[in-house]
Amino acid sequence: MAGEGRLTTHVLDTSAGRPAAGLKIELWSLSASRTLLRTVTTNNDGRSDAPLLQGKDFAAGTYELLFFAGSYLKKQGLKATEPPFLDVIPIRFGIADAGQHYHVPLLLSPFGYSTYRGS
């Protein structure tokens, strides 16, 4: 049923072994047209303070999360190339069932990342 699920994310800095605090994330809807839905910055636990989508705003469709890794890594004092190897990381995904919890975590290092559908 629509409106029962939610979308969350979590960013872990695997090079430092801690949550990635202060990382900017944009959430885009790609279903009808490309629309910016929300911009957040991760808290000290590497999460947004509230779900990215929930309730009546949470609907089936295609979405994209943009993780601004380059600026985050630069703030961490890591020596980076110009341009950085990783700058903005896009993760495009689909929500098929608006009644479920979709969790899209990002495991980040200066030269690689991974993601999965979490719980």
Side-chain angles (χ1 to χ4, degrees):
M1 295 172 91
E4 293 181 9
R6 68 189 186 282
L7 172 65
T8 57
T9 190
H10 188 197
V11 185
L12 297 173
D13 181 339
T14 59
S15 67
R18 64 178 177 241
L23 189 142
K24 177 183 167 185
I25 303 168
E26 291 180 352
L27 172 63
W28 292 80
S29 171
L30 305 178
S31 295
S33 63
R34 186 173 176 83
T35 305
L36 178 62
L37 300 177
R38 177 171 292 206
T39 300
V40 298
T41 301
T42 55
N43 61 24
N44 287 337
D45 195 33
R47 301 173 187 272
S48 58
D49 288 329
L52 298 172
L53 283 178
Q54 66 181 348
K56 65 178 176 42
D57 296 327
F58 188 71
T62 303
Y63 296 87
E64 186 173 66
L65 285 167
L66 297 179
F67 295 88
F68 288 78
S71 58
Y72 164 80
L73 292 167
K74 192 176 209 177
K75 284 187 235 173
Q76 302 312 301
L78 298 171
K79 187 172 180 157
T81 59
E82 276 302 324
F85 179 70
L86 293 175
D87 191 12
V88 178
I89 299 171
I91 299 177
R92 189 170 290 183
F93 59 97
I95 293 174
D97 182 351
Q100 292 190 15
H101 178 197
Y102 284 74
H103 183 68
V104 182
L106 181 73
L107 305 176
L108 172 66
S109 77
F111 298 102
Y113 65 91
S114 65
T115 190
Y116 54 93
R117 180 173 174 199
S119 58

